[in-house]
């Protein structure tokens, strides 16, 4: 249950995959007391006695390390529903679509239609940049809505100007967080550094993360594990800092861009440990 006094603290589990703007958005969805009452109500609901009455085809999916919904509970639910199919996916994120969405969609399609259509993989190599404003929730509280809106619009104009200059493509925006993709890793890093430098004239600091890998093209958006990794790299960055993965660093050797090691990090939901590097002298 969420206690009103802890409502302003981001959860380390369920919210771990969200950037700071996403966490603020979720907290704005209800007052502390309303959320506490809602979660208390949910914790007191027990549907186990009636699950055996379900007579329609049922598919239950859960990640092994889901921080919000226990996989043991999902397994038990599948056993109690006659004929239910249970699929357990690896990973410790709550979002079922965060990792390998094409596999999830294929499993759902096969369950509903009985046929798993062969998917023509539309994957490309790209460098992904995530950038957001450091301490944005605190600044919003201090500045007020009107001043913050003006500052946010200036930040968007500046970032998008740099995307155009370095031939990046904005693919997603949420709050003050922006994701862009580039077909060259050096341009992505230089773009991130330019944004980090120029937003200081607005009285802002940004946190930026860059990673290079294959992405799944989904219309105007992109997805896949590489996007997930780039987001996690950005979560590790400090205000005013541009962090890159070792993959990106190795690809731009000889570009003249300098780095300082930031050590090995465990990226939430991503296997293994990752060497991260901070951009310097840009």
């Amino acid at each position: 249950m969420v206690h009103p006094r802890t409502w302003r603290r981001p959860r380390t589990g369920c919210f771990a995959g969200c950037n700071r703007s996403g966490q603020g958005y979720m907290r704005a969805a209800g007052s502390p007391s309303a959320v506490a009452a809602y979660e208390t109500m949910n914790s007191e609901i027990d549907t186990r006695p009636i699950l055996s009455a379900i007579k329609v085809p049922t598919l239950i999916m859960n990640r092994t390390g889901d921080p919000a919904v226990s996989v043991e509970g999902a397994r038990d639910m599948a056993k109690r529903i006659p004929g239910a199919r249970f699929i357990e996916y690896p990973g410790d994120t709550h979002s079922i679509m965060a990792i390998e969405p094409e596999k999830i969609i294929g499993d759902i399609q096969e369950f509903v239609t009985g046929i798993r259509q062969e998917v023509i993989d539309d994957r490309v190599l790209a460098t992904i940049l995530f950038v957001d404003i450091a301490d944005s929730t605190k600044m919003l509280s201090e500045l007020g809505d009107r001043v913050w809106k003006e500052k946010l619009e200036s930040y968007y104009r500046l970032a998008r100007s740099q995307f155009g200059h370095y031939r990046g493509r904005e693919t997603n925006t949420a709050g003050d967080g922006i994701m862009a993709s580039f077909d060259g890793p050096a341009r992505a890093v230089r773009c991130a550094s330019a944004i980090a430098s120029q937003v200081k004239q607005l009285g802002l600091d940004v946190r930026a993360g860059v990673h290079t890998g294959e992405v799944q093209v989904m219309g105007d958006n992109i997805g896949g594990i590489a996007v997930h990794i780039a987001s996690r790299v950005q979560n590790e960055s400090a205000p005013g800092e541009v962090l890159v993965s070792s993959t990106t660093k190795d690809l731009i050797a000889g570009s003249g861009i300098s780095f300082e090691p930031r050590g090995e990090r465990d990226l939430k939901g991503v296997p293994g440990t990752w060497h991260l590097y901070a951009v310097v002298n840009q």
Side-chain angles (χ1 to χ4, degrees):
M1 184 178 76
V2 174
H3 192 281
R5 292 180 180 176
T6 64
W7 177 230
R8 294 188 65 82
R9 304 176 195 164
R11 291 187 189 180
T12 57
C14 186
F15 287 174
C18 305
N19 58 26
R20 284 177 172 80
S21 60
Q23 293 167 3
Y25 176 81
M26 291 181 183
R27 287 196 293 271
S31 67
S33 59
V35 173
Y38 179 76
E39 293 211 359
T40 299
M41 177 190 71
N42 281 343
S43 69
E44 294 174 350
I45 297 173
D46 185 358
T47 62
R48 288 176 295 179
I50 62 171
L51 292 178
S52 61
I54 297 176
K55 304 300 182 184
V56 296
T58 304
L59 173 64
I60 299 172
M61 302 181 292
N62 215 101
R63 292 202 178 276
T64 302
D66 190 322
V69 180
S70 167
V71 70
E72 287 80 9
R75 292 170 186 155
D76 181 70
M77 179 180 289
K79 291 177 181 178
R80 293 173 183 270
I81 298 175
R85 181 183 177 192
F86 176 61
I87 305 178
E88 184 173 330
Y89 300 98
D92 56 1
T93 175
H94 178 53
S95 172
I96 198 69
M97 297 297 288
I99 304 173
E100 296 185 313
E102 61 278 3
K103 175 173 174 53
I104 309 297
I105 293 171
D107 287 339
I108 295 172
Q109 181 187 48
E110 183 177 11
F111 176 78
V112 173
T113 67
I115 300 173
R116 193 182 193 94
Q117 184 176 354
E118 183 180 356
V119 177
I120 299 176
D121 215 11
D122 192 6
R123 298 176 67 84
V124 298
L125 184 66
T127 299
I128 306 100
L129 162 64
F130 275 91
V131 60
D132 71 3
I133 298 174
D135 300 320
S136 58
T137 303
K138 179 182 177 182
M139 294 190 68
L140 171 58
S141 300
E142 294 174 348
L143 297 175
D145 291 344
R146 183 182 62 81
V147 175
W148 175 250
K149 180 175 180 291
E150 294 172 355
K151 197 172 286 285
L152 195 60
E153 289 173 347
S154 297
Y155 156 72
Y156 282 142
R157 284 194 297 270
L158 187 154
R160 287 163 179 160
S161 172
Q162 294 304 317
F163 293 159
H165 180 71
Y166 289 99
R167 289 187 283 168
R169 184 174 68 88
E170 182 179 343
T171 55
N172 204 350
T173 303
D176 58 271
I178 309 176
M179 178 175 73
S181 64
F182 298 77
D183 58 10
R187 286 200 300 275
V189 172
R190 289 194 170 101
C191 179
S193 298
I195 293 172
S197 174
Q198 293 182 25
V199 295
K200 293 183 183 297
Q201 66 190 11
L202 301 176
L204 301 173
D205 274 320
V206 295
R207 301 160 56 252
V210 182
H211 174 65
T212 305
E214 276 200 332
V215 299
Q216 185 75 38
V217 178
M218 301 181 294
D220 292 332
N221 205 348
I222 56 175
I225 188 65
V227 174
H228 195 67
I229 293 171
S231 175
R232 296 306 196 199
V233 172
Q234 189 250 359
N235 286 343
E236 295 291 324
S237 63
E241 186 174 55
V242 177
L243 279 188
V244 308
S245 66
S246 57
T247 306
T248 299
K249 172 184 174 293
D250 292 344
L251 286 171
I252 57 179
S255 66
I257 300 174
S258 300
F259 299 93
E260 288 181 352
R262 288 292 185 263
E264 292 186 21
R265 308 284 179 91
D266 291 318
L267 303 182
K268 188 72 173 179
V270 180
T273 57
W274 290 73
H275 292 273
L276 301 184
Y277 298 84
V279 180
V280 295
N281 300 328
Q282 285 297 301

